[in-house]
Amino acid sequence: MSQAISIIVPLTIAIRASNNMLMTTIPLLVRYNFHFSNTLVGILSALVSLMTFVSSGLINSRLRACRRRIAFIASSVIYAVVFPLFWLSSPITVWVLSAVAGFALAF
């Protein structure tokens, strides 16, 4: 039990911290580096939130415990791969990365 807690607690803290960083930094990235309009910045932020809602509210809530565990592990790996790719993103790929990151974060 203590082994599970020693893994889950730091992982949860890291994911929540990177989630907050993603939600506040991506709009700044696209506004100042890619020169998106205020409307596009808002739409991109809404996309991340929408994808989080879809995966958390519509998919994750309906999964059984064994499948939820697999989804959690897979989404953690996906997010670990996607998050650093924002550094290499372009005005087009930032849309895909944001959607995938938002989807993966909710699990």
Side-chain angles (χ1 to χ4, degrees):
M1 180 69 170
S2 65
Q3 184 181 22
I5 291 173
S6 66
I7 293 171
I8 291 172
V9 170
L11 187 58
T12 301
I13 291 169
I15 289 173
R16 289 297 301 153
S18 66
N19 181 14
N20 291 338
M21 185 176 16
L22 177 80
M23 296 298 275
T24 57
T25 304
I26 296 307
L28 297 173
L29 169 75
V30 299
R31 177 72 178 129
Y32 296 112
N33 287 8
F34 300 146
H35 308 291
F36 279 21
S37 68
N38 291 339
T39 303
L40 288 177
V41 171
I43 292 171
L44 184 65
S45 297
L47 174 67
V48 175
S49 297
L50 175 67
M51 295 306 289
T52 300
F53 169 75
V54 167
S55 61
S56 177
L58 301 179
I59 297 172
N60 194 27
S61 63
R62 291 182 171 86
L63 293 176
R64 295 181 185 258
C66 60
R67 294 210 182 245
R68 186 175 293 130
R69 181 177 180 270
I70 293 168
F72 172 75
I73 293 168
S75 67
S76 297
V77 170
I78 290 168
Y79 185 67
V81 170
V82 167
F83 191 72
L85 293 178
F86 280 100
W87 180 64
L88 302 171
S89 66
S90 70
I92 295 171
T93 61
V94 74
W95 291 94
V96 175
L97 292 172
S98 296
V100 172
F103 189 82
L105 276 173
F107 286 101

